[in-house]
Amino acid sequence: DTGVSQDPRHKITKRGQNVTFRCDPISEHNRLYWYRQTLGQGPEFLTYFQNEAQLEKSRLLSDRFSAERPKGSFSTLEIQRTEQGDSAMYLCASSLGSGSVYEQYFGPGTRLTVT
Amino acid sequence: GEDVEQSLFLSVREGDSSVINCTYTDSSSTYLYWYKQEPGAGLQLLTYIFSNMDMKQDQRLTVLLNKKDKHLSLRIADTQTGDSAIYFCAEYPGGGNKLTFGTGTQLKVEL
């Protein structure tokens, strides 16, 4: 078990470009979460998957954001037409679907800088 | 609302105990957590407590929960320089799926 992994760790992009991040959860975990963390703040929930189904989305997730988990394993988060306000750390977490749904384990994050 | 509040900064000497405090407002929260974040890194789950408990001890960590006052604290015994980090409390409301985090407390351990 290597924990939750995220790729890339850092991304610098110009305003208006599209970016995509990947998250690989702990292998037996069927729940996957995306959070966003801005400087000096705690993480804020964006969206949640159980297996391949996206079951909850925050109002923070504008139409420019889309997340997928096509086979119920890894997930991608895409941001279209990036804006400077999208600069943040994007964190992925995973948990077991039963028994320990309350234990969310986080990856190292992808730090996005929009110039 | 689901606001979780923490003091921003705490400084202690190496070897002393640290106490980090948190106030939450969602009385339906079933679990309350402490996470640690080192610079440039993700969040490490330190410990959590179920809402029907009032204390949990795990090696150097002691969590106290006062449900009446919606107050959570984390005590770190014999604080070391490696404990320097930002500590976040978080709540997991009953029936929900997301964690709601506080703004974090930066702990600085001085020699």
Side-chain angles (χ1 to χ4, degrees), chain B residues 89-107:
Chain B
C89 64
E91 56 182 349
Y92 183 82
N97 296 295
K98 63 180 181 180
L99 296 177
T100 301
F101 286 85
T103 52
T105 298
Q106 182 165 356
L107 174 64

Side-chain angles (χ1 to χ4, degrees), chain A residues 70-88:
Chain A
K71 297 180 180 178
S73 56
F74 73 91
S75 174
T76 58
L77 177 68
E78 181 183 17
I79 309 174
Q80 296 183 327
R81 305 181 303 281
T82 52
E83 301 173 356
Q84 288 187 320
D86 297 332
S87 294

